[in-house]
Amino acid sequence: IKHSDRYVLTDPWYNKPAFGSWLPSLAPYIHPSYLAALGDKLTILVSHGHDDHFDDKLFEIFDKKTKFITANFKSPSVVNRLNKIGFENIVTVGEEEQTIDGLDYSSYIVPDLSHDDATYLIRSERGAVIHANDNWHEFTEPHLNMMRTRLSSYSKSSILLFSQTNSASGFPLNYRNFTADEKQKILKEKVAKMVAGGLQNAVSLGIDRMFSYAGFATAYVKDKSYENEGLFPTSEYLTQLLHEQEISYPVVIPSLYPGDSVNLPSGEIEKAFVTGYQDSDIKEVTDKFYDVYKVKDNCISYRNLELGTENFESWLNYFLTEFDSFVRSRVQGPDSHYTKLIGKKLSLQCELESGDSICKTIQFGDGLVAWDPRANKVCYVGAATLYSILKGEALFEDLYTGYNAEWERFPENEYNRDIVMLIVMFSYVYRNRLSSEAKARFFSASE
């Protein structure tokens, strides 16, 4: 968005969120080096602390005087991570607007959906940007009212809404419950529902455009074909998908490629100096690029490590017991709306190179219980990947959103979102707080 010399950087140019897979995105139109070279002239907005939005390694190339903006989350994890890298010029914003270098910022958090994600509204005299990040659900009425008041003086063309338009998890592609055809059907219905949430937000705010944001990434895992099974949510594809799903809104999803600019207040899209792209060609050539430059060679099968099982199993018991304690603490405190989580089961089958397996089940509220192959969520993971998680080198979340494991769920038609949300939260707690102590306790005997 053209506005003086200020930019908003939302995502790393590529992500390596997991031990066993790479998730390369479309090639960047502006290399991060050019952004980092702006020094303290650059302001970076970090939407939230999930690793696909917050890349510690990438941030190391930026000037330590760079200004950062993020939401005033209850947990200081984003601020703490930025401080650890060496950044100190950090501003947190909430629902009450703050003016920072001529732009007005506000953030909107829905705790029942997530404690650590936010929608942002960024305004200037020329126009406004609403960036929903991972919040594709319909905005709450109190938040809509705040936004309507703050957007009341703008023309429709000068309000830009960016909403998520693709699945951010491995479901259903990495689930064993479903056939290939069933997976495609479920995935399309899932994505169409997400897009509909963003379109409804546009209608509720009285605007007639919604830009497709996120989801232009491909999961590469050896011995799998996820890169050929996922959706590529371009404007053309989403328009056709909504038609197939018989979903209709008076909202346009514009075509916007890397390098294109949106001029405010007119809202006109100025194309980059290269035009004539075909969506299928971009996807094919991007895939070829990562193949030629051997990125795919870094992908490993998730069954490729033999371990001495005794100490490894003790380490895994510790991890799962701490996970159960974390869940009980959260449900009794800030996540009391997840009370139905108590009593549910999570099973984990760790598959060793020898062909043997270590099978564990926790029942939330009771800790480790007898193995249950039909738990609410069942995770099948290789020793190499799990070992990297136990050592704090990767996130348990990667097994779900990073495609580094396979899953089942029982009953098949129940999502059990509460289990997934607590897995995501615990991933960061374990890596940042518990993994060092666990490694000191268990590591030597495992080597």
Side-chain angles (χ1 to χ4, degrees), residues 266-326:
S266 68
E268 293 180 356
I269 297 174
E270 182 178 324
K271 304 301 293 182
F273 66 88
V274 176
T275 59
Y277 294 121
Q278 295 293 321
D279 295 340
S280 57
D281 293 339
I282 292 177
K283 188 175 188 302
E284 179 181 347
V285 174
T286 302
D287 185 72
K288 185 176 181 180
F289 172 86
Y290 287 109
D291 191 32
V292 168
Y293 280 90
K294 309 301 181 184
V295 173
K296 294 181 183 179
D297 291 350
N298 290 287
C299 304
I300 63 171
S301 170
Y302 65 85
R303 302 181 183 92
N304 70 340
L305 184 67
E306 183 60 87
L307 299 168
T309 58
E310 181 178 353
N311 199 66
F312 181 74
E313 186 169 358
S314 297
W315 198 344
L316 179 57
N317 287 343
Y318 167 82
F319 177 92
L320 292 173
T321 300
E322 289 295 326
F323 184 24
D324 174 61
S325 297
F326 174 81

Side-chain angles (χ1 to χ4, degrees), residues 87-123:
F87 299 108
E88 296 182 355
N89 191 3
I90 305 166
V91 181
T92 60
V93 299
E95 293 179 358
E96 184 176 343
E97 275 192 320
Q98 290 189 52
T99 301
I100 305 168
D101 297 333
L103 296 176
D104 296 323
Y105 294 83
S106 53
S107 71
Y108 309 86
I109 301 169
V110 181
D112 286 356
L113 295 176
S114 175
H115 290 279
D116 52 9
D117 194 9
T119 296
Y120 292 83
L121 171 59
I122 309 167
R123 301 194 303 126

